[in-house]
Amino acid sequence: MPTAVVKLYSLFFKYHLKHKLQALAQSAPPPPSPADLFGVASRLDEPAAPANPSFVDGAASKDIHIDPSSALSLRLFLPDTVLASPAGGAGPGGGSANYGGYSPPTGGDCVRLPVMLQFHGGGFVNGGHNSAENDGFCRRIARACDVIVVAVGYRLAPESKYPAAFEDGAKALNWLAKQANLAGCSRSIGKLRRNVGVEGRVFDSFGVSMVEPWLAAHGDPSRCVLLGVSSGANIAEYVCQKAVEAGKLLDPIKVVAQVLMYPFFAGSTPTKSEVKLANSYFYDKAIRNLALKLLLPDEEFSLDHPAVNPLVSRTVPLKCMPPTVMVVAEHDMMRDRAITYCAELRKFNVDAPVLDYKDAVHEFATKDMLLQTPQARACAEDIAIWVKKYISLRGLEFSY
């Protein structure tokens, strides 16, 4: 069973969240006009962690606002393993005095790392890519998996109803593809201009470089992984379907695997875990349903909506999905649906193991007060072992 501290924290968390959701429901804004779709990507009452472009706790971070028409933002986490580059930076502080953080070398070979697109949890109405708990989790995953983590600050409900958050996820993946192509163009221009000493970069009409330097120098778009936490797992699964649909249109981006951590799945027919654990820790049945009512438009509300039940009305066959690892907790009422999802994938010979953690609760590996527990650390290590099967360079793979 969970510890007494976890049980007590869960009671306070559910009490606060239930009242917060009820307040949001009562003050829900009217449907926005096409000219008012900016939305919000975080809540003021949640502690945020500032980005730090210098290496702290094994990773440097920076924020990027990629869509001027909405609140969609990203936070990049770069592990300090990039400092092993032969042409590498000047050290943990980077090589740019005026920037005050890490700046990749302009010439020579750089360490190339896979890119992981991460979607935070929070029941579609809470959380943020820059929250303190998500910042800590992303740093841990960046170090454990040795990847560049791109945390997506998608728009939250009820200010932005479905499909806003899901479209933001797809837009972030398309932005990565655009960045990979711009970086390729920049390198080509650099080769042409190297003889005259002009740096090869692509600029917009205002003279600002459109190429994100960390991704351009260190990102390997051919090894892309999607990771979703709780409600973020629903978005990751949707984005994965969009990536499969796009195919070569996303080149050079290739999604090689997805990691779904205790997804926010639902359905009209109750499962055994939903009956047995209806009043489970952190997210119970009442809170889940209230959050979904805030996410889905009134005319579309259904527990079998494709946003929350990916086994219904799919646009991409399960046999076309990439390898998927599922993290579930013993005391999470939504566990059965996650396990069933992987079982359906395995029917089509898709590698889809389930990492089932005993005595664990929903968000046991990502919730702020649980981040430092041995179980949370072990979960990150288990994810890293599995992910590295698909992101390791040829000849360096290992099995688990």
Side-chain angles (χ1 to χ4, degrees):
M1 291 292 291
T3 65
V5 174
V6 171
K7 292 179 180 179
L8 185 62
Y9 180 58
S10 174
L11 286 175
F12 283 106
F13 177 86
K14 289 202 295 183
Y15 176 83
H16 172 72
L17 181 58
K18 186 175 181 179
H19 283 75
K20 185 175 183 178
L21 295 179
Q22 290 173 342
L24 286 172
Q26 292 173 359
S27 62
S33 64
D36 184 26
L37 297 173
F38 196 79
V40 297
S42 60
R43 302 288 179 196
L44 294 178
D45 61 341
E46 295 184 27
N52 190 339
S54 298
F55 289 96
V56 176
D57 293 333
S61 62
K62 69 162 75 169
D63 290 332
I64 305 172
H65 187 201
I66 66 171
D67 183 11
S69 64
S70 76
L72 175 59
S73 301
L74 307 176
R75 174 166 288 188
L76 272 60
F77 295 86
L78 187 71
D80 57 11
T81 51
V82 300
L83 298 176
S85 172
S96 176
N98 60 343
Y99 180 49
Y102 174 74
S103 183
T106 56
D109 295 331
C110 295
V111 174
R112 311 289 287 188
L113 299 178
V115 179
M116 178 179 283
L117 203 60
Q118 188 263 357
F119 303 91
H120 65 82
F124 300 106
V125 297
N126 262 337
H129 67 301
N130 59 352
S131 68
E133 66 180 26
N134 198 64
D135 187 90
F137 171 71
C138 287
R139 288 179 184 277
R140 173 175 291 169
I141 286 295
R143 296 193 307 269
C145 297
D146 200 17
V147 296
I148 300 174
V149 175
V150 181
V152 181
Y154 56 85
R155 288 170 289 173
L156 302 177
E159 291 85 355
S160 301
K161 294 273 192 176
Y162 174 86
F166 293 77
E167 291 178 342
D168 286 350
K171 191 175 293 185
L173 184 64
N174 289 330
W175 179 85
L176 282 179
K178 179 181 178 181
Q179 282 295 315
N181 284 295
L182 287 174
C185 292
S186 181
R187 284 191 290 270
S188 298
I189 294 173
K191 291 178 181 179
L192 292 174
R193 297 180 174 177
R194 189 170 299 163
N195 292 334
V196 293
V198 178
E199 185 178 358
R201 292 195 178 183
V202 179
F203 298 89
D204 64 15
S205 58
F206 294 98
V208 179
S209 175
M210 295 189 296
V211 179
E212 206 302 303
W214 288 5
L215 288 174
H218 299 293
D220 182 354
S222 67
R223 295 180 288 160
C224 182
V225 178
L226 305 180
L227 183 149
V229 176
S230 188
S231 55
N234 298 37
I235 299 174
E237 207 277 342
Y238 169 88
V239 173
C240 195
Q241 290 193 56
K242 290 299 180 183
V244 173
E245 280 184 332
K248 292 186 177 181
L249 294 177
L250 273 178
D251 281 351
I253 291 287
K254 184 178 180 181
V255 176
V256 297
Q258 63 173 343
V259 180
L260 305 182
M261 303 180 68
Y262 23 80
F264 216 71
F265 290 168
S268 57
T269 304
T271 64
K272 289 183 179 180
S273 64
E274 287 174 340
V275 174
K276 180 181 178 181
L277 302 169
N279 193 33
S280 60
Y281 304 96
F282 293 103
Y283 287 91
D284 57 27
K285 183 177 179 180
I287 289 177
R288 182 199 66 181
N289 291 349
L290 183 54
L292 294 181
K293 287 181 179 179
L294 293 175
L295 168 71
L296 300 172
D298 293 339
E299 64 276 9
E300 294 184 33
F301 179 79
S302 169
L303 293 180
D304 282 327
H305 192 284
V308 294
N309 191 347
L311 295 179
V312 175
S313 303
R314 293 186 61 84
T315 58
V316 174
L318 288 170
K319 65 181 180 181
C320 298
M321 297 296 283
T324 301
V325 65
M326 185 73 71
V327 175
V328 298
E330 180 183 8
H331 297 283
D332 180 9
M333 74 162 188
M334 293 174 271
R335 57 176 277 117
D336 281 358
R337 296 194 183 277
I339 294 172
T340 300
Y341 177 86
C342 280
E344 293 298 315
L345 285 176
R346 289 195 295 271
K347 289 180 181 179
F348 297 98
N349 295 320
V350 177
D351 183 21
V354 176
L355 304 180
D356 194 350
Y357 293 85
K358 186 176 176 59
D359 294 331
V361 297
H362 191 83
E363 289 210 50
F364 73 92
T366 47
K367 186 60 66 180
D368 48 4
M369 72 159 291
L370 303 177
L371 268 176
Q372 302 307 321
T373 62
Q375 206 168 33
R377 295 178 183 276
C379 180
E381 293 172 1
D382 293 342
I383 290 173
I385 290 172
W386 183 84
V387 164
K388 286 180 180 179
K389 287 204 310 175
Y390 297 99
I391 62 174
S392 297
L393 294 174
R394 181 166 296 182
L396 299 177
E397 301 95 336
F398 62 95
S399 58
Y400 66 106

